[in-house]
């Protein structure tokens, strides 16, 4: 066995790590229940995007703290995962939302108009 596997962490550190990891897991569970409970796609897309990122960061902090103290060196491997999640989740959510808005407009549903296309002449105000 390695020294890190046999070392015992102080109780206060174990409590902090446990609180961080369990808080992150609870937030991830809360975000997943948002997928089940919210009625429309446009409402459902926010819960996992925001909550999953925050839950990932809490778990990452607990992981970095635990492995840094247990191995007696700065363990930043979990930070790379959290940065990847923090970058990809919002981008993925934007793409999914834009695709859903495009499809909803094509089907004639009542959604906000596109901001990238100019307004019709009758909709513009005279200055």
């Amino acid at each position: 066995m390695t020294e890190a596997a046999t070392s015992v962490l102080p109780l206060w550190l174990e409590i902090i790590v446990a609180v961080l990891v369990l808080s992150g897991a609870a937030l991830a569970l809360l975000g997943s229940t948002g997928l089940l409970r919210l009625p429309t796609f446009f409402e459902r897309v926010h819960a996992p995007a925001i909550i999953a990122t925050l839950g990932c960061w809490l778990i990452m902090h607990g992981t970095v703290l635990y492995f840094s103290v247990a191995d007696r060196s700065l363990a930043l491997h979990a930070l790379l995962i959290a940065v990847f999640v923090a970058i990809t989740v919002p981008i993925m959510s934007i793409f999914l939302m834009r695709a859903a808005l495009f499809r909803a407009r094509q089907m004639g549903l009542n959604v906000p108009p596109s901001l990238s296309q100019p307004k019709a002449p009758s909709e513009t105000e005279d200055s």
Side-chain angles (χ1 to χ4, degrees), residues 7-91:
S7 67
V8 176
L9 298 178
L11 179 62
W12 62 270
L13 183 65
E14 288 182 356
I15 292 172
I16 291 172
V17 169
V19 166
L20 286 170
V21 171
L22 290 175
S23 298
L27 280 173
L29 180 65
L30 183 66
S32 64
T33 56
L35 281 173
L36 297 173
R37 305 275 302 169
L38 297 172
T40 67
F41 172 79
F42 299 107
E43 293 171 343
R44 274 185 249 141
V45 76
H46 295 287
I50 295 169
I51 299 292
T53 305
L54 179 60
C56 175
W57 279 95
L58 286 172
I59 293 171
M60 181 274 305
H61 286 299
T63 303
V64 168
L65 186 62
Y66 175 80
F67 285 108
S68 293
V69 172
D71 293 340
R72 294 186 179 103
S73 65
L74 192 57
L76 295 179
H77 58 279
L79 180 63
L80 294 174
I81 297 169
V83 167
F84 180 72
V85 168
I87 291 171
T88 58
V89 167
I91 292 171

